[in-house]
Amino acid sequence: MDIYGMCMLKKHFKYSGVATALCLLYTPIASAHLEKTKTDPLTVIGHKYNEIEHNFQSTIESSTPRAQTASTAGEMLKEVAGITLSGTGVTNGANILMRGYDQKGVKILVDGIHQPLENTMNNLGGVFLDPSVIKNINVKHGSASTVHGEGAMGGVVAFNTLDPQSILEKNRNLGAKLFSSYSSADRHFSYGGIIAGQHALFSGLISYTQRQRGPILLADGQKMDNNESINNYFAKIYLYPTNNQTFILSTRHYDNSGEQREVLHRMGGFGKNESNQMHRDTQQKNYSLTHHYAPESNSWIDLTTHLYYSQFNIEQTFLTDVKLTERERQNNIKGNIGTLETRTQSTYGGKLENYTSVTPHDHLNLSVILGTEAYRQKMRSNEKAKNFPLAEMDYAATWLQSTLSTPLLPLSLTAGVRYHYYKSTPNKDVDSVIYNHAERNSDASKLMHKASYRGTTENVKLTFTATPWLQLYTSYSTAFRAPTLSEMFNDSLHFKRGYLKSYWIPNPYLNPERNRTWEYGGKLTFQQLLSANDALEIKAAYFDTLSKDYISYAEWIGTFLGKTSLKAYNIANVYIEGVDIALRYTHSWLSAGLSYNRTNTFQLTDSETISPVRPEILTAFIQVPIAKTPFSLGWSGQFASATDTKSRYNGIVAPHNKGKDVTRLQEVIQQFPGYSVHDFSLSYQSKKNKDLQATLMLANAFNYEYFSTRGVPQEGRNIKMSVSYRW
C-alpha cells in the first residue's frame, strides 16, 4: 500500500473512502482529458489527516494541459490562485509564496516527507522534482503546524509521486511509458521513459528523464541568458511480506547543470539589469524507506513509519564579473572570474504516525492521529560561499489530533496540539572583522551561541454539515517556524564599495516566528444541478492572521559598521488577511472552474508590506471535448492586479539607492502593473488506443508583457507540445 498514492496488495484491491472523496472532489477538474487507466480497483491509504481536515484545499492533477507541458514542478502550481513564484523562470530561485509567506513559511512535502531546503537566503531554492514523476499535488491553504510541523505558516504543498499502478494496465505484470515535450520560448526539449512491473509480493518502477533548456524569450523581447541540462532518476519499490504490511523504498536523483544568472529572484543585482553568469551544478539526492502496518484484527493500529535522507548540493563558478571596469578587463584582471562556491545541506530523520478510527459508542465516532518525528540538518560550504554558515539544527516534535462526531448532530469537533523542540548550533567562528568589532564591545560570545526553543502549537475546528450540499466551518490555529541557520549565523560580506563594507550580522537570539489564524469557510456541493450527470462545487474561506516575531532584516544600530550592515531581527506584529474562493463545474461535455485569492500583508507599526505578493489574483479554465472525436479544446487565464508594496523605512540607504524609497532590505519600492495572460490548448487521446495522449498548448497567446512581483519580465508567447505512449 502506498501511503501517498495508489498501490496494490497481492492483487486484491478496493477503493477506500479517502480515494473516493478525492476522486469526486478533484478529478473532474480535468475530466475532459483525463488519462484513462485500465487497472484493477486499488487500495488508497493516502494522507489520513484528509479525513479530518476541513480547511481550504486545492489539488492539481498531472493530466491537465499545463502539467503535461510543464518544464518545472513549480510551473504546475500556476493554476492555483494565491500561490506565486519568485525567480526568473528556471528551477533555481523559484521559491513558493503563499498567504503572505515565502518558502521559509510554506511547508514542502514529497510523498509525505519534509523537504527543508535552506537556500532562500541565496534565492537558490525551489522545488527540485521533475514534473514527469509527479502524480498530483495537494495544496493546503493556511497554517497547519499541528499535523505538518514547523514551517507550515502559510500553507502546505504536498507532491505525490507516481506508483506502479499509474503505469500498469489491467491484468498486466509489465508496462512502460515513453514521453517527450517541447516548448519554443526556452528551447526546451525533454524525453524520458518509465518501466513498471509486478510479480507476486513485489512491484516497482524506474524512471529516467532528460531535459534541455536554453535562453528564455521574455515578453518584452529580451532573451535571458540560460542553459540547463537536467537529468532525473527515480525508482520506487514495493514489498508486501504479509497481508497487512507494506515496505516502500524510494530514491530520487535530480541534477541540473549549466550556465545561469547569479541573481535568480530579480533581473539584476542591486536593482541593476547586470548579473554575473555562473556555471551552476545543482543536485538533490533523496532516499526514503516507508513502512505501513494495518492489521485487520486491530482497528486501533494504522501505523506509517518513514526513514529518510536528503542531500542538496550547489557548486557554482563565476564566468563573468560585472563589477570589473573596462580598464580592469583590458589589464586582464579576473576579479571573481573562476571563483568556485560550494554549498551542501544534508538532512536525515524519521517520522512515525498512527491513525485510529474507532466507534466507542453507537452514537459517537472518534478519529485520532498520534505522531512523532525528529531530524537533523547540517550545512557545509567552502570559504568562498556566502550566506551559508557552517551550522546544524536538531528538530523533534510529537503531536496529537482528534475529531469527534455523532450522527445525532450535524457537528464535528477537531482539536490538536503539537510539541516542538529545536536546537541550532554553529561550528565556525564568525568573520574576523565582525568578531573584532564585537570583542571591543565585550559581546563577542553573544554572536555565536547555541539557540534552542520549546513550545506548542494548537488548533481547534468546528464543522457544521447543515445539509448534504452545505458544509460550514470555523477554525483557530497557531503555527510556528524556527529561524533558519542563515538568519541566525550568517556572517558573510554583503557588499563592498571602495572602503565601504557591509556584512550580514549573526543573531542567534532570534525568536521563532509564531502566528495565530482565524479562518471561516464553507463548501456547497450540488449533483445533477442542470442535467443528470453534472456537478457543481463552490468553496470559500476568509482568513485573518496575526504573526508575532516575524523575521526580517534591518541595519545593525550603534556604529558606522553597524549602520551599513544588516542583521535579522523580529518584527513584533504583522497582520495578514485575505479571501480564497474556488468554483468547479463538471459535465460530460464541459469542465470549467475558477479560483480567486486576495491577500493583504502589512507590519502593524508602520504599515510596511512584508511579502511581495499581488493583492488579487484570479485564475479560470474551460475544457470542452469535441463531440465524436478524440480531441478536446481548452482555455485558461490568469488575471492579476498591480503590485502594491508599501514602506516607511527611514534608515540608512545604500549608496546605489540614494534618493529612492527602499525597504529594510534595500530593495527599491516599485509597483508593477496588473496583467491578463491567456493560454489555449488542444488535447488528443486516441479512442482506438487509449494509451496515446498528446497536448498542444499556446501559452501567453497574445504575447502580453507582464512582470513578477519582483519585477522580472515573464515568458513571452510560447508553443508547447507533449506526447506520451503507454503500453
Side-chain angles (χ1 to χ4, degrees), residues 346-358:
S346 59
T347 305
Y348 55 90
K351 176 180 176 182
L352 185 148
E353 191 172 62
N354 186 69
Y355 172 83
T356 300
S357 180
V358 296

Side-chain angles (χ1 to χ4, degrees), residues 487-545:
E487 289 168 335
M488 285 188 287
F489 304 122
N490 184 19
D491 63 341
S492 299
L493 178 68
H494 184 204
F495 66 86
K496 178 181 179 181
R497 291 294 177 88
Y499 295 103
L500 178 64
K501 290 184 178 180
S502 173
Y503 289 89
W504 298 101
I505 308 299
N507 184 9
Y509 293 92
L510 281 173
N511 294 324
E513 285 188 13
R514 296 180 64 89
N515 72 14
R516 69 102 183 106
T517 299
W518 282 99
E519 184 168 329
Y520 314 90
K523 180 173 66 175
L524 292 166
T525 305
F526 301 99
Q527 303 288 336
Q528 301 179 357
L529 183 66
L530 302 176
S531 68
N533 55 357
D534 70 349
L536 173 67
E537 180 185 85
I538 302 173
K539 297 185 294 183
Y542 170 78
F543 57 92
D544 178 313
T545 299

Side-chain angles (χ1 to χ4, degrees), residues 612-623:
V613 298
R614 291 183 181 269
E616 293 182 287
I617 293 182
L618 173 71
T619 64
F621 79 91
I622 300 174
Q623 194 76 22

